């Protein structure tokens, strides 16, 4: 995960900040991305303050090799490194809370969204209310919580200032495990906004208990934090005032003394309050040599939790897998449960193989039997316990979205709930229109044909349905005056909710379009009630039987300008389209799988005016062919084209793919809603014209992988390995070192990363 580190002790120093560098290095060693933004000097006891009216300026700090604050402390510079070195820290002349604000909102964006704010390790404990209410360490974490980020305030409680580097190393290693455990077990019910963690600097701390606690409510006594002292040296302002008083006949300056107040808190009574408070508080737990973990709300109220005085279960030091609560059974269970029931005999074994070839058997328990009630899986019943971490890869209709939305930290599903802005043909054109209107230079303008969408219930109402299809009607009107068929503008008609090539037709005149609908009307069965209900976000994978088009499919249509001439290949010149497998993760990362397919039409290409009704000359969907073979499905990178031309096509596809998903997420947020605990695979179809321009045709959810065929099924298997690496492994925090294979680790090409703030 990406962790923002801040503190209230400033940059590494043996005098005031001896721990932060060591913790940063141990977090990096654990595989985390670490960004550091600290106050430029010590800012302890300042709470969650900001300095208003002051412009804060950064300097750039390059830490030395020392991890414990001794010796060379590193160097500061007014300008960052030109190469954007990710190890460079930022120091701000402000408060700890200001560092959190600036670190989250203005710095480190090239590393992606921050997942967790860690403030500390503080030089000293922050147990009990007296310390916590004033702590700059706590203030920085509270600021992170106020910005809706998971936040942890980390403090090291020392009992002697003679710090042993071995003990500090152990405390940092232990802190990393605590941080990881808390992040992975973060409550999904909003019962905690942040945690205060206090680690005692004692020998063997990593073997001691880590206990959930509450903050001891205590108070200052006997004078509090300051001691009155004499100061006989007036400053310049006071001296000027004295002189003015003398000139005005006031009291003489001789013997003038003022009282001053020195920071000298008396901690004896604070420590005594811990003894008097007895077991259970954060102060008591730390005093006993154990680590305290206090869940808090960012509203000066402790989070009420049923875990008080219970032990936080941590990973074993040598484990690569996930933390979990102790089971009542003596039998150890895998720490990740996966329900993989794709209900497709072609792709199911390939998904299973992807998991088995990457994840150790003791890490994941895979179930392939879909046990459901009324066609729906109850995730709550399926999971063994409330703390179980689980993954579901099943058909859209069987996903327990209700459970997923309330368990976004522990339950990963393989589909977004709403994404019709992309997968419905009568929506994707609107998505492009809205995006291009706001971004007129968008790549979509040059790689998507604008469509006209319309609705038709009955053929006799076709003319009325086209009233607002302005581009289409103008084109058809122009065609009426054109005698030569080859000079007309041709259109391709697609039912908005069908797939597998159903209902696709070519036309160039109103009469031809009317004839298409009249023919469908005559072929329509007497009753198709079961198709009348439209669920615009359910997936149709093209399994509908019959030659007619169902009533629900007849309702929505799009007409797109026909792309002619296409790039053709092979003996006789066959038209083809490119099938691109795409992975979307969370909110929102988009990957294009490098190994694309070229799907060819069954017959040599004919212009639309020569054979508009011969689907096999222009329709490249292999579903209408008897069976895919070596000629109809080929590897994109094996096409007989120069390498530079293949690279140019792939570059276009990557650019357009990233753009269309961002367009849907930003311009059509009602119809494309990402989820932080979901991923989804899509099949995108591109057509390349004779000039080498790639045009996006459509996007399919739950793509028909069977079109890949038996000879090339390793492409699908490799794609699902990429899904495991990029979607499953990061979500569950699985250590990359635990993966059984690195083959194909570069095949998933990241094409867009958008922070939509949906967490």
């Amino acid at each position: 995960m990406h962790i923002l580190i801040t503190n209230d002790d400033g940059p590494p120093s043996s005098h005031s900040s001896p721990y932060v560098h060591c913790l940063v290095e141990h977090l990096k060693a654990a595989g985390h991305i670490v960004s550091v933004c600290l106050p430029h000097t010590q800012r302890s006891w300042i709470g969650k303050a900001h300095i208003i009216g002051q412009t804060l300026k950064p300097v750039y700090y390059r830490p030395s090799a020392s991890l414990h604050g001794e010796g060379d402390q590193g160097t500061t510079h007014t300008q960052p490194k030109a190469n954007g070195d990710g190890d460079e820290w930022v120091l701000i002349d402000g408060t700890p809370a200001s560092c959190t604000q600036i670190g989250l909102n203005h710095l480190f964006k090239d590393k992606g969204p921050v997942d967790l704010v860690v403030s500390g390790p503080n030089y000293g404990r922050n147990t009990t209310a007296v310390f916590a209410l004033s702590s700059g360490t706590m203030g920085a974490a509270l600021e992170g919580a106020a910005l809706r980020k998971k936040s942890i305030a980390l403090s090291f409680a020392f009992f002697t200032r003679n710090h042993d580097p071995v003990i500090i190393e152990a405390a940092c290693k232990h802190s990393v495990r605590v941080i990881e455990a808390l992040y992975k077990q973060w409550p999904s019910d909003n019962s905690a906004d942040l945690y205060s963690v206090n680690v005692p600097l004692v020998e063997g701390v990593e073997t001691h208990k880590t206990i959930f606690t509450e903050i001891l409510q205590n108070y200052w006594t006997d004078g509090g934090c300051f001691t009155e002292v004499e100061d006989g040296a007036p400053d310049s302002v006071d001296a000027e005032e004295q002189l003015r008083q003398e000139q005005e006949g006031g009291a003489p300056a001789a013997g003038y003394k003022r009282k001053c107040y020195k920071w000298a808190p008396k901690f004896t009574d604070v420590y005594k309050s811990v003894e008097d408070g007895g077991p259970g508080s954060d102060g008591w737990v730390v005093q006993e040599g154990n680590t305290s973990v206090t869940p808090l709300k960012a509203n000066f109220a402790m989070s009420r939790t049923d875990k008080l005085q219970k032990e936080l279960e941590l990973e074993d030091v040598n484990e690569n897998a996930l933390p979990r609560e102790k089971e009542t059974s003596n039998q150890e269970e895998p720490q990740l449960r996966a329900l993989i029931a794709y209900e497709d005999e072609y792709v199911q074994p390939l998904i299973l193989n992807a998991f088995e070839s990457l994840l150790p058997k003791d890490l994941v328990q895979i179930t392939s039997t879909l046990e459901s009630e009324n066609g729906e899986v109850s995730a709550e019943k399926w999971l063994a316990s409330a703390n179980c971490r689980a993954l579901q890869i099943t058909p859209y209709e069987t996903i327990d979205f209700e459970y997923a939305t309330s368990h976004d930290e522990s339950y990963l599903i393989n589909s977004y709930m709403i994404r019709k802005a992309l997968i419905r043909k009568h929506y994707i054109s609107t998505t492009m229109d809205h995006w291009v209107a706001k971004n007129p230079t968008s790549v979509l303008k040059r790689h998507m044909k604008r469509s006209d969408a319309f609705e038709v219930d009955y053929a006799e109402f076709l003319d009325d349905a086209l009233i607002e299809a302005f581009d289409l009607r103008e084109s058809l009107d122009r065609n009426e005056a054109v005698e030569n068929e080859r000079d007309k503008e041709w259109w391709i008609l697609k039912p908005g909710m069908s797939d597998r090539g159903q209902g696709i037709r070519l036309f160039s005149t109103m009469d031809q379009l009317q004839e298409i609908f009249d023919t469908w009307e005559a072929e329509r069965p007497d009753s198709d009630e079961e198709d009348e209900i439209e669920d615009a976000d359910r997936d149709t994978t093209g399994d509908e039987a019959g030659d007619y088009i169902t009533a629900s499919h007849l309702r929505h249509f799009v007409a797109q300008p026909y792309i002619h001439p296409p790039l053709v290949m092979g003996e006789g010149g066959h038209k083809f389209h490119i099938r691109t497998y795409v992975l979307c993760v969370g909110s929102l990362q988009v990957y294009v799988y490098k190994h694309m397919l070229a799907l060819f039409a069954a017959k040599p290409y004919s212009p639309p005016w020569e054979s508009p009704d011969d689907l096999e000359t222009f329709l490249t969907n292999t579903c209408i062919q008897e069976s895919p073979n070596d000629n109809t499905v080929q590897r994109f990178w094996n096409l007989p084209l120069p390498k530079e031309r293949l690279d140019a096509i792939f570059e276009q596809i990557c650019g357009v793919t990233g753009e269309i998903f961002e367009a849907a997420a930003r311009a059509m947020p009602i119809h494309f809603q990402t989820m932080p605990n979901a991923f989804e695979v899509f099949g995108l179809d591109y057509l390349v014209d004779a000039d080498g321009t790639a045009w996006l045709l459509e996007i399919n959810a739950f793509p028909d992988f069977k079109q890949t065929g038996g000879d090339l099924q390793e492409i699908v298997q490799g794609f699902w390995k990429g899904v495991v690496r990029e979607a499953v492994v990061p979500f569950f925090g699985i250590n990359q070192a635990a993966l059984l294979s690195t083959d194909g680790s570069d095949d998933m090409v990241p094409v867009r990363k958008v922070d939509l703030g949906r967490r």
Side-chain angles (χ1 to χ4, degrees):
M1 56 183 155
H2 184 188
I3 300 174
L4 173 66
I5 292 289
T6 188
N7 69 4
D8 69 352
D9 293 327
S13 162
S14 59
H15 175 70
S16 60
S17 185
Y19 313 134
V20 62
H21 194 186
C22 186
L23 178 70
V24 166
E25 294 305 314
H26 279 288
L27 285 169
K28 289 180 179 179
H32 302 294
I33 300 170
V34 182
S35 300
V36 184
C37 182
L38 310 177
H40 76 301
T41 189
Q42 207 228 47
R43 294 292 192 199
S44 295
W45 290 83
I46 202 168
K48 203 177 82 67
H50 295 289
I51 303 174
I52 63 172
Q54 174 181 331
T55 299
L56 303 183
K57 297 178 288 295
V59 293
Y60 302 91
Y61 179 82
R62 297 164 195 172
S64 68
S66 170
L67 296 186
H68 304 291
E70 71 275 6
D72 180 16
Q73 300 304 310
T75 59
T76 57
H77 308 266
T78 58
Q79 297 295 326
K81 285 185 179 179
N83 63 358
D85 189 346
D87 289 334
E88 196 168 46
W89 299 6
V90 179
L91 307 182
I92 301 290
D93 56 347
T95 67
S98 297
C99 291
T100 300
Q101 278 274 354
I102 294 170
L104 288 178
N105 292 320
H106 301 282
L107 303 173
F108 316 119
K109 292 186 177 180
D110 58 321
K111 298 183 182 180
V114 170
D115 300 300
L116 178 69
V117 174
V118 174
S119 178
N122 187 63
Y123 189 21
R125 72 194 67 191
N126 275 311
T127 57
T128 81
V130 161
F131 290 133
L133 288 173
S134 301
S135 166
T137 302
M138 292 285 290
L142 280 166
E143 194 71 24
L147 290 166
R148 302 304 299 271
K149 291 290 186 180
K150 296 179 177 65
S151 300
I152 295 174
L154 176 65
S155 304
F156 284 0
F158 55 79
F159 300 91
T160 172
R161 292 184 183 270
N162 184 19
H163 290 345
D164 184 342
V166 175
I167 292 179
I168 295 176
E169 290 277 347
C172 288
K173 291 179 182 179
H174 177 61
S175 297
V176 171
R177 295 174 61 216
V178 172
I179 289 168
E180 291 176 336
L182 289 176
Y183 182 81
K184 293 168 186 175
Q185 300 176 33
W186 207 279
S188 58
D189 59 359
N190 296 318
S191 60
D193 292 332
L194 70 156
Y195 287 93
S196 174
V197 176
N198 284 271
V199 177
L201 291 182
V202 295
E203 187 174 354
V205 64
E206 67 273 24
T207 64
H208 295 188
K209 292 182 178 180
T210 301
I211 308 295
F212 286 100
T213 66
E214 58 185 352
I215 290 180
L216 175 67
Q217 184 62 61
N218 61 347
Y219 303 90
W220 288 109
T221 58
D222 298 334
C225 300
F226 293 89
T227 296
E228 184 178 287
V229 296
E230 296 288 339
D231 186 353
D235 59 27
S236 59
V237 175
D238 293 328
E240 182 179 352
E241 179 63 21
Q242 284 181 251
L243 181 61
R244 185 178 297 111
Q245 288 181 2
E246 291 177 1
Q247 291 173 343
E248 295 173 355
Y256 171 80
K257 299 293 182 182
R258 64 176 177 179
K259 295 293 185 181
C260 294
Y261 306 92
K262 181 181 179 181
W263 173 255
K266 298 178 175 65
F267 293 138
T268 303
D269 290 339
V270 175
Y271 299 142
K272 185 176 184 301
S273 70
V274 174
E275 295 285 350
D276 294 343
S281 72
D282 53 353
W284 180 277
V285 167
V286 170
Q287 184 172 279
E288 293 295 306
N290 296 317
T291 298
S292 73
V293 176
T294 308
L296 300 170
K297 293 292 289 181
N299 58 4
F300 290 98
M302 282 186 296
S303 166
R304 305 310 300 172
T305 175
D306 58 358
K307 292 185 177 181
L308 291 180
Q309 301 189 47
K310 294 183 179 179
E311 185 174 355
L312 172 66
E313 196 70 25
L314 305 177
E315 294 178 3
D316 289 342
V317 174
N318 295 323
E319 284 187 349
N320 290 310
L322 308 173
R324 67 182 186 278
E325 296 289 344
K326 287 183 177 179
E327 303 288 345
T328 55
S329 169
N330 291 327
Q331 183 178 359
E332 291 291 333
E333 293 187 2
Q335 300 178 28
L336 170 62
R337 301 190 68 192
L339 172 58
I340 303 175
Y342 204 76
E343 293 191 349
D344 184 320
E345 61 183 13
Y346 176 90
V347 73
Q348 171 75 5
L350 301 180
I351 300 175
L352 293 176
N353 181 273
F355 275 83
E356 292 167 357
S357 63
L358 288 178
L359 301 182
K361 291 183 179 180
D362 60 350
L363 177 62
V364 57
Q365 176 188 9
I366 298 177
T367 302
S368 300
T369 302
L370 183 63
E371 298 179 358
S372 61
E373 298 178 4
N374 300 322
E376 296 183 358
V377 174
S378 173
E380 190 169 7
K381 294 181 180 179
W382 175 62
L383 296 179
S385 71
N387 297 310
C388 184
R389 314 272 285 173
L391 162 71
Q392 181 176 346
I393 300 179
T394 64
Y396 179 93
E397 296 83 354
T398 62
I399 296 176
D400 193 339
F401 285 105
E402 181 178 357
Y403 188 87
T405 54
S406 61
H407 293 76
D408 59 2
E409 297 289 342
S410 61
Y411 194 54
L412 181 64
I413 56 176
N414 66 302
S415 177
Y416 300 127
M417 187 185 303
I418 300 174
R419 64 271 201 274
K420 63 185 176 185
L422 293 171
I423 67 174
R424 295 304 175 213
K425 300 178 183 68
H426 49 298
Y427 276 86
I428 190 171
S429 182
T430 303
T431 300
M432 181 198 73
D433 286 345
H434 287 187
W435 184 252
V436 171
K438 297 180 180 180
N439 303 273
T441 62
S442 170
V443 68
L444 298 184
K445 192 173 184 179
R446 304 185 299 277
H447 293 275
M448 285 186 69
K449 293 289 187 179
R450 188 186 183 281
S451 303
D452 269 332
F454 55 93
E455 297 184 19
V456 178
D457 287 314
Y458 298 96
E460 61 187 293
F461 302 132
L462 175 61
D463 193 63
D464 293 335
L466 298 182
I467 290 177
E468 295 186 2
F470 302 111
D471 291 347
L472 174 59
R473 291 193 70 95
E474 289 180 2
S475 175
L476 297 182
D477 290 342
R478 287 193 300 267
N479 285 343
E480 292 294 334
V482 178
E483 294 184 3
N484 194 331
E485 291 290 327
R486 71 175 60 232
D487 294 331
K488 292 181 178 180
E489 298 172 340
W490 281 81
W491 293 76
I492 185 167
L493 178 71
K494 299 178 180 180
M497 295 178 61
S498 70
D499 46 25
R500 299 173 65 92
Q502 289 190 99
I504 291 180
R505 300 289 188 270
L506 299 183
F507 68 96
S508 63
T509 67
M510 186 64 185
D511 289 342
Q512 291 171 341
L513 183 60
Q514 185 67 60
E515 183 181 355
I516 292 171
F517 280 93
D518 289 341
T519 301
W520 281 339
E521 189 79 19
E523 294 176 351
R524 193 172 179 174
D526 293 335
S527 174
D528 44 22
E529 268 182 35
E530 63 187 31
D531 295 312
E532 287 292 339
I533 300 176
E534 175 187 354
D535 181 350
D537 284 295
R538 288 167 64 97
D539 290 283
T540 54
T541 56
D543 294 330
E544 299 86 349
D547 295 329
Y548 65 91
I549 306 300
T550 63
S552 62
H553 290 177
L554 267 177
R555 185 172 302 131
H556 302 283
F557 283 88
V558 294
Q560 296 176 335
Y562 184 73
I563 299 172
H564 175 80
L567 181 63
V568 295
M569 290 186 182
E571 185 176 353
H574 288 248
K575 180 181 175 182
F576 69 95
H577 81 265
I578 298 171
R579 166 52 62 94
T580 305
Y581 293 129
V582 172
L583 167 67
C584 290
V585 180
S587 299
L588 173 72
Q589 297 178 68
V590 184
Y591 299 86
V592 167
Y593 184 52
K594 186 175 182 179
H595 300 288
M596 304 187 299
L597 302 171
L599 282 66
F600 284 79
K603 296 180 180 180
Y605 179 70
S606 295
W609 54 86
E610 290 185 4
S611 49
D613 298 324
D614 190 351
L615 299 182
E616 291 190 306
T617 65
F618 70 86
L619 195 58
T620 54
N621 193 319
T622 59
C623 296
I624 68 170
Q625 302 171 18
E626 291 185 2
S627 62
N629 54 56
D630 292 339
N631 294 323
T632 56
V633 182
Q634 300 181 29
R635 295 176 182 269
F636 167 77
W637 295 101
N638 288 348
L639 293 177
L641 290 172
K643 176 66 163 54
E644 58 270 18
R645 195 168 184 188
L646 292 174
D647 288 339
I649 293 171
F650 182 69
E651 183 178 354
Q652 293 177 58
I653 288 174
C654 288
V656 175
T657 299
E659 189 86 348
I660 190 62
F661 278 93
E662 181 174 0
R666 294 195 185 277
M668 299 282 280
I670 296 177
H671 301 300
F672 183 69
Q673 298 183 15
T674 61
M675 301 170 63
N677 58 321
F679 68 89
E680 184 151 9
V681 302
F682 296 89
L684 276 65
D685 292 337
Y686 285 88
L687 180 71
V688 181
D689 65 20
D691 295 327
T693 300
W695 296 91
L696 175 60
L697 302 179
E698 63 182 41
I699 299 178
N700 300 283
F702 285 73
D704 184 7
F705 288 105
K706 290 193 296 292
Q707 293 188 65
T708 305
D711 293 339
L712 299 178
Q713 65 180 8
E714 72 272 12
I715 289 180
V716 179
Q717 181 174 312
F719 172 69
W720 279 98
K721 286 183 179 180
V723 172
V724 174
R725 284 194 187 93
E726 305 299 341
V728 177
V729 167
F731 181 83
F732 293 108
I734 299 172
N735 194 324
Q736 291 281 346
L739 301 186
L740 302 177
S741 171
T742 59
D743 293 342
S745 57
D746 298 327
D747 289 342
M748 301 295 280
V749 180
V751 297
R752 196 61 52 108
K753 189 171 186 179
V754 185
D755 184 4
L756 299 174
R758 300 170 190 169
R759 301 181 178 87

